[in-house]
Amino acid sequence: MATLTDGARREVWAEAMRQLSNDREPISITKADLRAAVDALDTFLNSNAAAINTAIPQPARGALTTAQKARLLMYVIRRRYMDGA
Amino acid sequence: MATRFIFSPLSAEFPSSNFAPLSKVNARPVLAFDAATDETAYWTFVAPQGFTGTGTLVITYAMASATSGAVGLQAQIEAITDGDSTDTDATTSFDTVNNSASTTVPATAGYIDQISITMTNQDSITAGDYCRLSINRDADGSAITDSATGDLYLIVAELRDAA
């Protein structure tokens, strides 16, 4: 899978800003800084997708779909970095 | 300077797409202007008797989340005089856009700031004209640097004239 298109990255960026606004969560960086972070994370995930997949032990790696594994990753990230934050 | 008109979020009108949605923050009505897409709101008014000179629009706003960066707002006026040949059911005739300065937002989200726009282009407005005011955020920065993250909440706007 290639990196997200520019349009898709823009949608992620806009969604992140809408969420911050809805939560009225202070943010001290500019729109350009936030967009650079989105781009960098997408590039990182693109470069390291195989390594993340390899970290999942069998039989889960082979039996789960890509979307199921992505959801699993999301749950772990949410619990590690977001719950209670 | 004399106050000639007050524009509140509750009296706003909206285009069919890319409008700034009406919201409520701490029981205060606001229009939420997106940071990624240029959004617009309109207000209808009658040009007040005695209106004179170049108008100044003063927009009171607060940021939803941004504590740094700058915003840019744009305003236009459509003024239609009795007998003008503007087909109101088919066209709009806003004058050329008036730009604010790129304005640094308050360092605390929720604190208000006021942006003034000199309405150099005000469609030859005359007392008694049927008018519309258009305000949009230049979120894409096409004319004004707009770097602040997240929504801009328009709280109220005031039109002043030279009287």
Side-chain angles (χ1 to χ4, degrees), chain B residues 19-83:
Chain B
F19 52 85
L22 181 63
S23 186
K24 204 162 68 170
V25 177
N26 191 25
R28 304 175 202 274
V30 298
L31 295 177
F33 286 81
D34 192 75
T37 302
D38 286 14
E39 292 181 336
T40 302
Y42 302 138
W43 287 264
T44 293
F45 66 104
V46 173
Q49 298 300 316
F51 188 91
T52 182
T54 300
T56 300
L57 188 67
V58 181
I59 299 166
T60 301
Y61 75 97
M63 299 304 293
S65 52
T67 61
S68 70
V71 291
L73 294 171
Q74 298 177 305
Q76 292 174 275
I77 283 184
E78 174 187 64
I80 303 175
T81 305
D82 184 21

Side-chain angles (χ1 to χ4, degrees), chain A residues 4 11-12 16-17 19 29-30 37 51 54-55 59-60 62 65 73 76 78 85:
Chain A
L4 296 174
E11 287 173 11
V12 171
M17 288 197 289
Q19 188 63 53
I29 60 172
T30 64
T54 303
T65 67
L73 177 63
V76 173
R78 186 172 67 193

Side-chain angles (χ1 to χ4, degrees), chain B:
Chain B
M1 284 269 182
T3 298
R4 291 302 189 174
F5 217 92
I6 302 292
F7 306 94
S8 88
L10 292 175
S11 60
E13 300 143 14
F14 303 100
S16 57
S17 62
N18 294 338
F19 52 85
L22 181 63
S23 186
K24 204 162 68 170
V25 177
N26 191 25
R28 304 175 202 274
V30 298
L31 295 177
F33 286 81
D34 192 75
T37 302
D38 286 14
E39 292 181 336
T40 302
Y42 302 138
W43 287 264
T44 293
F45 66 104
V46 173
Q49 298 300 316
F51 188 91
T52 182
T54 300
T56 300
L57 188 67
V58 181
I59 299 166
T60 301
Y61 75 97
M63 299 304 293
S65 52
T67 61
S68 70
V71 291
L73 294 171
Q74 298 177 305
Q76 292 174 275
I77 283 184
E78 174 187 64
I80 303 175
T81 305
D82 184 21
D84 277 0
S85 56
T86 302
D87 185 353
T88 56
D89 66 7
T91 62
T92 59
S93 60
F94 284 106
D95 201 347
T96 305
V97 70
N98 300 285
N99 291 326
S100 76
S102 180
T103 304
T104 301
V105 304
T108 301
Y111 280 22
I112 71 159
D113 186 34
Q114 292 185 318
I115 291 178
S116 291
I117 302 177
T118 302
M119 302 300 287
T120 307
N121 309 303
Q122 54 185 9
D123 209 13
S124 303
I125 189 171
T126 304
D129 281 357
Y130 154 63
C131 301
R132 284 195 302 168
L133 171 70
S134 168
I135 296 176
N136 70 277
R137 180 179 178 183
D138 190 21
D140 64 6
S142 61
I144 313 163
T145 298
D146 185 302
S147 59
T149 306
D151 286 354
L152 176 153
Y153 292 147
L154 185 151
I155 300 169
V156 71
E158 173 196 9
L159 181 64
R160 302 173 181 167
D161 74 357

